[in-house]
Amino acid sequence: MHPYTLILTAFELLKKENAELKQQIEIMKLQNISPTVANQIDEWLSRPYQGAYERQDIEIFAKEIVKYIHGQMKA
C-alpha cells in the first residue's frame, strides 16, 4: 500500500471521529440545557398572560427561549 493511501485513510478516519465527537458535544449541551428550558416553560405556563393578546405573550416567550438556547449553545 502506498504511504499516501495510508495518510489519506488516517485523515478520513480522523475526520469521521471529529464529526462524531462534535455531535456528542452538541448532544451533551442539549441535555444540559433541556432541564432549564423545561423549568422556564413550566414557570411561564403557571403565570397569567402579561399582554392583551395570548399570541403576543407566546411570541415574546418563544423569542426569550430561543435567545436563551442560542446563547447556551454558543458557550
Side-chain angles (χ1 to χ4, degrees):
M1 188 176 280
H2 197 275
Y4 291 125
T5 305
L6 291 174
I7 291 171
L8 286 174
T9 302
F11 181 70
E12 289 299 320
L13 288 172
L14 286 173
K15 279 179 32 180
K16 181 180 176 186
E17 183 177 338
N18 188 37
E20 290 172 358
L21 288 172
K22 283 182 179 181
Q23 184 179 15
Q24 287 177 0
I25 289 170
E26 292 301 315
I27 289 169
M28 288 170 43
K29 284 182 181 179
L30 285 173
Q31 287 173 341
N32 289 336
I33 294 170
S34 295
T36 304
V37 170
N39 288 337
Q40 288 182 4
I41 291 170
D42 285 342
E43 182 181 313
W44 178 76
L45 288 173
S46 66
R47 69 181 184 209
Y49 294 114
Q50 295 177 358
Y53 300 100
E54 179 180 347
R55 180 181 175 90
Q56 181 183 20
D57 197 37
I58 291 169
E59 288 173 357
I60 291 169
F61 179 72
K63 287 178 184 176
E64 290 174 7
I65 288 293
V66 169
K67 184 178 176 182
Y68 172 80
I69 293 171
H70 181 71
Q72 292 297 311
M73 292 299 289
K74 287 178 84 176

